[in-house]
Amino acid sequence: MTFTRRTFLGAAAALPLLPRRGHAAPPLRVTATTGMIADTARNVAGGLAEVTALMGPGVDPHGYRQTRSDIVTLTRGDVALRNGLNLEAQLEDLFETLSSRVPVVPVAESVPAEDILHNTIYEGRPDPHVWMVPRHWRHAVEATRDALTGLRPDQAETFADNTDAYLAELAGLQSYAAEVLATVPEPARVLVTAHDAFAYFGAEYGFEVLGIQGISTESEAGLQRIAMLVDTLVTRGIGAVFVESSVSDRNVRALIEGAASRGADVRIGGELFSDAMGQPGTYEGTWIGMIDHNVTTICNALGGTAPDRGMNGKLNAGI
């Protein structure tokens, strides 16, 4: 739907203030844009918050536009957690208006400026995909903790303990990724994906990243770009490319067909989670599981050695 201030205020006015009974504080109502942020909030809050994600599995945040139910959910919440760094580009006006009623926290903008990557093709815009590297995402975890603590200072100890436990998991994932990805032969460390969501991954673990589209899926992949990538696949003997769960595989299959027409055997190395996690109720439907899946899939497809079931032995096994 097209967002206007009148639309927002109309939805907000329709919402009665719910009475709070008893002495125990009710759970915080937390709204997150992406699944990655929602999962982080659940880990930090534990049972002290009800967390709702606006965008589910397979949803592309770059082009996502709010629905009327989103406006209702956001307005009824105690806090809205977003990525920022221009990820939710279509929701900027909505969040600007919402911020006069509800705290809006861009958790990814807590990553230090010196660690933020920029793409010169897009006039120096920041690359928003910081969740691809655990040591960067820890800043978003801490920003989430601080946001919840600001709302419920009496529960600060619980939020801090939960955060410390979760950060320990992040540290383990960071170590696992570095260890297994180092087993990929250096000439094979080329990651070809549907769009350029893996620049942080590449910079962290020493991979050349070639996205068919730019850092936003709103950009178009031209024939010249596809032809250049086909030539790269053929001349460098790259045997695997990757599709993404939230992006059409049309352009990736065009690469494979183009390479085949020139006698090269290129296969799909697997499906990666880029801008959205896996299905709820699965290990891949958590941020830890999402990154574990990506790291393990990339490693094994490109000639490295990683356990088929990943760091925790949970891949493809539900939770």
Side-chain angles (χ1 to χ4, degrees):
M1 67 181 286
T2 301
F3 172 78
T4 65
R5 184 174 179 82
R6 168 180 270 180
T7 302
F8 176 85
L9 294 176
L15 299 171
L17 294 177
L18 299 179
R20 296 185 174 185
R21 300 177 180 177
H23 298 289
L28 281 169
R29 293 167 297 186
V30 178
T31 308
T33 52
T34 68
M36 295 80 76
I37 299 171
D39 186 58
T40 295
R42 292 186 185 106
N43 278 277
V44 170
L48 300 180
E50 296 175 353
V51 182
T52 301
L54 297 184
M55 307 175 201
V59 175
D60 173 14
H62 295 282
Y64 185 84
R65 296 179 184 274
Q66 73 280 349
T67 65
R68 181 174 177 81
S69 64
D70 290 340
I71 297 174
V72 171
T73 300
L74 286 162
T75 309
R76 296 185 71 168
D78 295 306
V79 63
L81 304 178
R82 57 179 301 208
N83 190 82
L85 300 177
N86 205 48
L87 178 71
E88 307 97 336
Q90 306 303 321
L91 305 182
E92 293 293 336
D93 290 344
L94 170 63
F95 283 120
E96 182 178 353
T97 303
L98 179 70
S99 63
S100 65
R101 293 177 56 93
V102 176
V104 177
V105 183
V107 296
E109 293 182 9
S110 62
V111 176
E114 60 269 23
D115 290 331
I116 297 295
L117 301 179
H118 292 77
N119 192 314
T120 56
I121 297 176
Y122 296 96
E123 301 178 354
R125 288 182 183 177
D127 185 331
H129 303 91
V130 294
W131 60 87
M132 290 298 186
V133 175
R135 75 176 182 90
H136 294 327
W137 195 240
R138 68 169 290 127
H139 297 289
V141 176
E142 292 168 344
T144 300
R145 175 202 61 202
D146 294 345
L148 300 187
T149 300
L151 292 168
R152 294 282 173 83
D154 57 313
Q155 297 171 337
E157 184 176 355
T158 298
F159 296 144
D161 289 345
N162 291 344
T163 297
D164 289 345
Y166 194 47
L167 290 178
E169 292 188 62
L170 265 69
L173 181 58
Q174 178 79 21
S175 297
Y176 170 76
E179 179 182 350
V180 300
L181 291 170
T183 68
V184 177
E186 288 194 20
R189 295 180 190 176
V190 182
L191 183 61
V192 181
T193 60
H195 87 295
D196 196 5
F198 290 85
Y200 289 99
F201 176 98
E204 186 73 11
Y205 303 114
F207 281 67
E208 181 180 359
V209 177
L210 301 174
I212 304 174
Q213 294 170 265
I215 59 175
S216 170
T217 55
E218 294 290 280
S219 62
E220 293 292 335
L223 293 177
Q224 184 176 5
R225 174 68 175 172
I226 291 176
M228 183 274 288
L229 288 174
V230 167
D231 189 63
T232 299
L233 294 174
V234 174
T235 58
R236 296 176 60 178
I238 299 170
V241 296
F242 299 86
V243 297
E244 299 175 30
S245 64
S246 56
V247 183
S248 169
D249 66 356
R250 181 182 67 248
N251 289 327
V252 174
R253 295 192 180 279
L255 288 185
I256 293 174
E257 292 170 4
S261 71
R262 294 177 55 179
D265 182 18
V266 178
R267 61 186 175 84
I268 292 180
E271 181 182 68
L272 304 180
F273 298 112
S274 54
D275 293 339
M277 304 188 304
Q279 293 297 320
T282 67
Y283 176 58
E284 293 84 351
T286 67
W287 176 81
I288 292 281
M290 166 192 187
I291 302 302
D292 187 1
H293 167 91
N294 286 350
V295 166
T296 302
T297 299
I298 291 168
C299 176
N300 288 334
L302 296 180
T305 303
D308 290 338
R309 301 292 286 272
M311 176 182 71
N312 291 322
K314 293 182 178 181
L315 292 179
N316 304 311
I319 289 184

